[in-house]
Amino acid sequence: MVFSPGEPATGNRTEMCRYIALEGIDGAGKTSIQAALRERLESVGIEVVAVREPGGTLLGESLRRVLLDGPPVSPWAEALMFAADRAQLMADVVRPALERGACVVSDRSVYSSLAYQGAGRALGIDRVRRINEPGLAGRWPDLVILLAVSTRTGLARQRQADRIGSSGHALLSTVAEAFDTLARQNPDRFVVVDAERPRSLVVEDVWEAVGL
Ligand code: TYD
Protein backbone atom coordinates (compact mmCIF):
# COMPACT_ATOMS: atom_id res chain seq x y z
CA MET A 1 0.00 0.00 0.00
CA VAL A 2 1.44 3.29 -0.98
CA PHE A 3 -1.12 5.74 0.31
CA SER A 4 -2.38 5.89 3.83
CA PRO A 5 -5.30 8.20 3.26
CA GLY A 6 -6.47 7.95 6.83
CA GLU A 7 -3.21 9.26 8.19
CA PRO A 8 -2.67 12.95 8.74
CA ALA A 9 -0.46 14.65 6.17
CA THR A 10 3.06 14.62 7.48
CA GLY A 11 6.46 15.74 6.27
CA ASN A 12 6.91 12.59 4.22
CA ARG A 13 3.57 12.90 2.44
CA THR A 14 5.36 13.15 -0.90
CA GLU A 15 6.66 9.61 -0.51
CA MET A 16 3.12 8.28 -0.19
CA CYS A 17 1.96 9.86 -3.41
CA ARG A 18 1.87 8.30 -6.76
CA TYR A 19 2.26 9.43 -10.28
CA ILE A 20 -0.23 7.21 -12.10
CA ALA A 21 -0.40 7.03 -15.89
CA LEU A 22 -3.17 5.50 -17.96
CA GLU A 23 -1.94 4.09 -21.24
CA GLY A 24 -3.29 2.25 -24.22
CA ILE A 25 -4.01 2.61 -27.89
CA ASP A 26 -6.49 5.17 -29.22
CA GLY A 27 -9.97 4.22 -28.12
CA ALA A 28 -8.86 2.19 -25.08
CA GLY A 29 -11.02 4.33 -22.79
CA LYS A 30 -8.30 6.17 -20.87
CA THR A 31 -10.20 9.43 -20.56
CA SER A 32 -13.31 7.89 -19.06
CA ILE A 33 -11.29 5.70 -16.68
CA GLN A 34 -9.25 8.73 -15.64
CA ALA A 35 -12.43 10.49 -14.53
CA ALA A 36 -13.56 7.44 -12.53
CA LEU A 37 -10.17 7.02 -10.86
CA ARG A 38 -10.06 10.67 -9.97
CA GLU A 39 -13.47 10.41 -8.33
CA ARG A 40 -12.45 7.32 -6.34
CA LEU A 41 -9.23 8.89 -5.10
CA GLU A 42 -10.97 12.11 -4.13
CA SER A 43 -13.63 10.15 -2.29
CA VAL A 44 -10.93 8.87 0.08
CA GLY A 45 -9.58 12.36 0.63
CA ILE A 46 -6.67 12.42 -1.79
CA GLU A 47 -5.95 15.53 -3.79
CA VAL A 48 -5.84 14.58 -7.46
CA VAL A 49 -4.32 16.52 -10.30
CA ALA A 50 -5.60 15.10 -13.58
CA VAL A 51 -3.52 15.85 -16.65
CA ARG A 52 -3.41 14.77 -20.25
CA GLU A 53 -0.64 14.46 -22.77
CA PRO A 54 -0.29 16.24 -25.03
CA GLY A 55 -1.69 19.29 -23.29
CA GLY A 56 -2.22 20.55 -19.78
CA THR A 57 -0.15 23.74 -20.09
CA LEU A 58 -0.46 26.78 -22.33
CA LEU A 59 2.41 25.55 -24.46
CA GLY A 60 1.08 22.01 -24.34
CA GLU A 61 -2.37 22.93 -25.59
CA SER A 62 -0.79 24.80 -28.52
CA LEU A 63 1.42 21.83 -29.29
CA ARG A 64 -1.62 19.55 -29.01
CA ARG A 65 -3.39 21.47 -31.75
CA VAL A 66 -0.34 21.29 -34.01
CA LEU A 67 0.31 17.63 -33.25
CA LEU A 68 -3.23 16.36 -33.61
CA ASP A 69 -4.87 18.68 -36.14
CA GLY A 70 -2.01 20.50 -37.78
CA PRO A 71 0.06 20.09 -40.93
CA PRO A 72 2.11 16.97 -41.69
CA VAL A 73 4.91 16.54 -39.15
CA SER A 74 8.07 14.51 -39.70
CA PRO A 75 8.61 11.63 -37.24
CA TRP A 76 11.44 13.30 -35.31
CA ALA A 77 9.68 16.65 -35.20
CA GLU A 78 6.67 14.79 -33.80
CA ALA A 79 8.74 12.99 -31.17
CA LEU A 80 10.49 16.19 -30.13
CA MET A 81 7.22 18.10 -29.83
CA PHE A 82 5.74 15.38 -27.61
CA ALA A 83 8.91 15.53 -25.50
CA ALA A 84 8.68 19.34 -25.31
CA ASP A 85 5.04 19.16 -24.29
CA ARG A 86 5.93 16.65 -21.57
CA ALA A 87 8.88 18.69 -20.28
CA GLN A 88 6.62 21.72 -19.86
CA LEU A 89 3.92 19.68 -18.14
CA MET A 90 6.47 18.18 -15.78
CA ALA A 91 7.90 21.56 -14.85
CA ASP A 92 4.62 23.44 -14.53
CA VAL A 93 2.18 20.86 -13.21
CA VAL A 94 3.38 17.32 -12.43
CA ARG A 95 6.44 18.07 -10.33
CA PRO A 96 4.78 20.82 -8.24
CA ALA A 97 1.74 18.58 -7.65
CA LEU A 98 3.84 15.61 -6.52
CA GLU A 99 5.96 17.86 -4.33
CA ARG A 100 2.98 19.21 -2.47
CA GLY A 101 1.67 15.69 -1.89
CA ALA A 102 -1.04 15.46 -4.54
CA CYS A 103 -1.57 12.43 -6.70
CA VAL A 104 -1.16 12.91 -10.45
CA VAL A 105 -3.38 10.87 -12.75
CA SER A 106 -2.20 11.26 -16.30
CA ASP A 107 -4.01 10.39 -19.50
CA ARG A 108 -0.88 9.12 -21.34
CA SER A 109 2.76 9.60 -20.44
CA VAL A 110 6.28 9.11 -21.75
CA TYR A 111 5.33 5.49 -22.48
CA SER A 112 3.04 6.74 -25.26
CA SER A 113 6.06 8.29 -26.92
CA LEU A 114 8.03 5.06 -26.56
CA ALA A 115 5.18 3.08 -28.12
CA TYR A 116 3.94 5.53 -30.80
CA GLN A 117 7.13 7.31 -31.83
CA GLY A 118 9.70 4.71 -30.76
CA ALA A 119 7.90 1.69 -32.19
CA GLY A 120 5.01 3.06 -34.30
CA ARG A 121 7.14 5.59 -36.16
CA ALA A 122 10.14 3.26 -35.94
CA LEU A 123 12.43 5.86 -34.36
CA GLY A 124 13.71 3.36 -31.80
CA ILE A 125 12.46 3.06 -28.25
CA ASP A 126 15.87 3.83 -26.72
CA ARG A 127 16.41 6.92 -28.81
CA VAL A 128 12.96 8.25 -27.95
CA ARG A 129 13.59 7.43 -24.28
CA ARG A 130 16.81 9.49 -24.43
CA ILE A 131 15.16 12.61 -25.84
CA ASN A 132 12.53 12.45 -23.09
CA GLU A 133 14.84 11.91 -20.15
CA PRO A 134 16.06 15.50 -19.70
CA GLY A 135 12.51 16.87 -19.51
CA LEU A 136 11.40 14.21 -17.04
CA ALA A 137 14.40 14.73 -14.78
CA GLY A 138 13.95 11.33 -13.21
CA ARG A 139 10.19 11.48 -12.68
CA TRP A 140 8.77 8.49 -14.48
CA PRO A 141 5.29 7.30 -13.59
CA ASP A 142 5.25 5.09 -10.48
CA LEU A 143 2.38 3.08 -11.84
CA VAL A 144 1.29 2.61 -15.45
CA ILE A 145 -2.12 1.10 -16.01
CA LEU A 146 -2.26 -0.30 -19.50
CA LEU A 147 -5.85 -0.48 -20.71
CA ALA A 148 -5.65 -3.33 -23.17
CA VAL A 149 -8.06 -3.51 -26.09
CA SER A 150 -7.72 -5.04 -29.52
CA THR A 151 -6.96 -2.67 -32.39
CA ARG A 152 -10.39 -3.52 -33.77
CA THR A 153 -12.06 -2.31 -30.57
CA GLY A 154 -9.78 0.73 -30.37
CA LEU A 155 -10.59 1.78 -33.92
CA ALA A 156 -14.31 1.18 -33.42
CA ARG A 157 -14.40 3.21 -30.20
CA GLN A 158 -12.59 6.26 -31.51
CA ARG A 159 -15.11 9.06 -31.55
CA GLN A 160 -13.07 11.47 -33.57
CA ALA A 161 -9.82 10.20 -34.95
CA ASP A 162 -6.93 12.69 -34.76
CA ARG A 163 -3.97 12.88 -37.13
CA ILE A 164 -2.11 10.09 -35.33
CA GLY A 165 -5.09 7.97 -34.30
CA SER A 166 -6.31 7.93 -37.87
CA SER A 167 -3.05 6.45 -39.14
CA GLY A 168 -4.81 3.12 -39.23
CA HIS A 169 -4.63 -0.46 -38.21
CA ALA A 170 -0.94 -1.12 -38.95
CA LEU A 171 0.32 1.72 -36.74
CA LEU A 172 -2.08 0.85 -33.93
CA SER A 173 -1.12 -2.81 -33.90
CA THR A 174 2.59 -1.93 -33.75
CA VAL A 175 1.81 0.46 -30.90
CA ALA A 176 -0.27 -2.16 -29.08
CA GLU A 177 2.55 -4.70 -29.38
CA ALA A 178 5.04 -2.14 -28.08
CA PHE A 179 2.85 -1.42 -25.05
CA ASP A 180 2.67 -5.16 -24.34
CA THR A 181 6.43 -5.47 -24.56
CA LEU A 182 6.99 -2.45 -22.33
CA ALA A 183 4.58 -3.93 -19.78
CA ARG A 184 6.40 -7.26 -19.82
CA GLN A 185 9.75 -5.54 -19.42
CA ASN A 186 8.56 -3.43 -16.49
CA PRO A 187 6.38 -5.75 -14.42
CA ASP A 188 6.94 -3.68 -11.25
CA ARG A 189 5.57 -0.55 -12.86
CA PHE A 190 2.88 -1.83 -15.24
CA VAL A 191 -0.49 -3.38 -14.54
CA VAL A 192 -2.38 -4.60 -17.59
CA VAL A 193 -6.15 -4.36 -17.37
CA ASP A 194 -8.47 -5.98 -19.88
CA ALA A 195 -10.44 -2.97 -21.09
CA GLU A 196 -12.67 -4.89 -23.49
CA ARG A 197 -15.03 -5.49 -20.54
CA PRO A 198 -17.76 -3.19 -19.19
CA ARG A 199 -16.47 0.03 -17.68
CA SER A 200 -17.49 -0.82 -14.11
CA LEU A 201 -15.30 -3.95 -14.14
CA VAL A 202 -12.39 -2.05 -15.63
CA VAL A 203 -12.70 0.61 -12.93
CA GLU A 204 -12.61 -2.07 -10.21
CA ASP A 205 -9.39 -3.55 -11.59
CA VAL A 206 -7.83 -0.10 -11.94
CA TRP A 207 -8.73 0.64 -8.34
CA GLU A 208 -7.18 -2.62 -7.23
CA ALA A 209 -4.02 -1.76 -9.18
CA VAL A 210 -3.73 1.52 -7.33
CA GLY A 211 -3.65 -0.57 -4.20
CA LEU A 212 -5.57 1.46 -1.68
P1 TYD B 1 -5.27 11.15 -26.89
O1 TYD B 1 -5.74 12.52 -26.67
O2 TYD B 1 -5.03 10.31 -25.68
O3 TYD B 1 -6.24 10.44 -27.90
P2 TYD B 1 -7.19 9.22 -27.67
O4 TYD B 1 -8.11 9.64 -26.56
O5 TYD B 1 -7.85 9.05 -29.00
O6 TYD B 1 -6.33 8.07 -27.28
O7 TYD B 1 -3.89 11.14 -27.67
C1 TYD B 1 -3.73 11.84 -28.80
C2 TYD B 1 -2.89 11.12 -29.83
O8 TYD B 1 -1.51 11.40 -29.63
C3 TYD B 1 -3.03 9.62 -29.85
O9 TYD B 1 -3.22 9.22 -31.19
C4 TYD B 1 -1.69 9.12 -29.36
C5 TYD B 1 -0.76 10.23 -29.74
N1 TYD B 1 0.45 10.35 -28.89
C6 TYD B 1 1.68 10.01 -29.42
O10 TYD B 1 1.79 9.60 -30.58
N2 TYD B 1 2.80 10.17 -28.64
C7 TYD B 1 2.73 10.65 -27.37
O11 TYD B 1 3.77 10.77 -26.70
C8 TYD B 1 1.44 10.99 -26.84
C9 TYD B 1 1.32 11.54 -25.44
C10 TYD B 1 0.32 10.84 -27.63
Side-chain angles (χ1 to χ4, degrees):
M1 170 140 100
V2 177
F3 283 108
S4 298
E7 285 178 16
T10 62
N12 68 357
R13 182 84 202 274
T14 309
E15 282 168 30
M16 292 189 275
C17 289
R18 311 271 309 252
Y19 174 17
I20 302 168
L22 297 164
E23 289 287 6
I25 60 170
D26 298 71
K30 299 174 305 300
T31 312
S32 126
I33 298 300
Q34 181 191 36
L37 179 56
R38 173 188 201 152
E39 212 173 283
R40 287 288 271 271
L41 286 165
E42 286 177 346
S43 75
V44 294
I46 291 164
E47 185 200 349
V48 176
V49 174
V51 295
R52 68 170 177 179
E53 295 190 15
T57 63
L58 281 177
L59 175 69
E61 291 300 327
S62 306
L63 287 172
R64 183 179 179 90
R65 282 191 289 280
V66 175
L67 278 161
L68 303 186
D69 301 316
V73 182
S74 74
W76 272 112
E78 185 179 276
L80 289 161
M81 278 195 275
F82 277 118
D85 161 69
R86 185 165 297 123
Q88 192 72 33
L89 186 67
M90 178 54 69
D92 287 2
V93 183
V94 176
R95 176 179 295 278
L98 294 173
E99 282 175 356
R100 70 167 184 272
C103 174
V104 174
V105 179
S106 188
D107 182 342
R108 298 197 180 277
S109 72
V110 60
Y111 285 102
S112 279
S113 279
L114 302 187
Y116 280 83
Q117 281 65 51
R121 302 290 196 218
L123 298 179
I125 287 184
D126 280 337
R127 291 205 292 170
V128 172
R129 182 181 283 125
R130 281 200 291 277
I131 62 163
N132 276 277
E133 267 163 354
L136 289 178
R139 297 251 178 182
W140 284 63
D142 302 309
L143 172 65
V144 182
I145 298 171
L146 177 58
L147 299 176
V149 293
S150 67
T151 49
R152 179 200 286 257
T153 301
L155 286 169
R157 279 193 196 161
Q158 272 185 68
R159 277 178 308 249
Q160 214 188 354
D162 53 58
R163 192 181 56 80
I164 298 170
S166 61
S167 306
H169 193 272
L171 179 97
L172 278 200
S173 43
T174 308
V175 169
E177 255 173 54
F179 274 133
D180 286 347
T181 306
L182 289 165
R184 274 199 305 278
Q185 288 170 345
N186 298 279
D188 293 342
R189 182 169 290 167
F190 272 73
V191 174
V192 183
V193 171
D194 174 1
E196 296 273 350
R197 297 167 307 151
R199 183 174 182 271
S200 59
L201 298 180
V202 177
V203 171
E204 283 314 311
D205 281 5
V206 167
W207 188 238
E208 197 185 314
V210 169
L212 278 178

